[in-house]
Amino acid sequence: MRSVEKSGRTVEEAIDAALLELGVKIEDVTVEVLSEPSRGFLGILGGKDARVRVTPKRDRGELAKEFVAGLLTRMGLEVAIEVRPRGDTLCLDIVGNDMGLLIGRHGDTLRALEFLTNLASGSGGGEIKRILVDVSGYRKRRERELEEMARMIARRVVRTRKSVTTQALDARDRRVIHVALQDDPDVVTHS
């Protein structure tokens, strides 16, 4: 990654000069102040300019893919990582054989992998705000299962006129349930 060092009467002036040379915005760079300005003796002798090093941030999507690929290589897994941008979200779909290890019980390991990937890539720049990690289409299958479970529970609630409580679900799974039943006039959901 190309860094630029610039000097200026103030730190802000040096940063502006570096940004102009790189052609980027302040939010897309990391700034390191190498030396603060000093006025010198009586403001005339021995004064020094401020010096900064400005480095463009790496793209968040690249950081995420690199992190996941490195982790899976260290685990000894041979996989392919498919990258699909979707607005300000980047989907990393991991495809390979015997992926149950990466999914874990009810997707616990997958959620942890996604959390760590978002942490590891958080310092990156670009338009990507969030990274979603999926393993062999697990999230889509889980979503379909939850939607079917929601419809089945709704039919039972309508038939028995008694409320039903599901097992503990994480926020993403609860949202799937709520969205699946939001248009059903006979059922009310709440968390």
Side-chain angles (χ1 to χ4, degrees), residues 148-161 181 184 187:
E148 181 56 37
M149 181 182 80
R151 286 189 289 275
M152 185 179 68
I153 290 173
R155 286 190 297 269
R156 185 169 60 176
V157 166
V158 168
R159 188 179 67 242
T160 64
R161 295 285 180 209
L181 297 176
D184 189 333
V187 178

Side-chain angles (χ1 to χ4, degrees), residues 51-116:
R51 237 176 125 57
V52 297
R53 179 180 298 130
V54 176
T55 307
K57 291 180 181 176
R58 291 184 55 201
D59 181 61
R60 185 164 188 203
E62 291 173 20
L63 288 173
K65 184 176 179 185
E66 187 178 292
F67 171 77
V68 170
L71 182 68
L72 298 178
T73 299
R74 286 182 195 89
M75 291 175 70
L77 297 173
E78 292 184 26
V79 299
I81 301 173
E82 298 173 2
V83 179
R84 291 176 286 124
R86 198 170 60 192
D88 64 352
T89 303
L90 185 72
C91 300
L92 299 178
D93 194 13
I94 303 167
V95 181
N97 295 328
D98 196 26
M99 295 285 95
L101 174 69
L102 287 180
I103 295 170
R105 186 170 181 264
H106 300 293
D108 289 342
T109 306
L110 179 57
R111 273 192 296 281
L113 176 60
E114 182 176 277
F115 176 75
L116 291 173

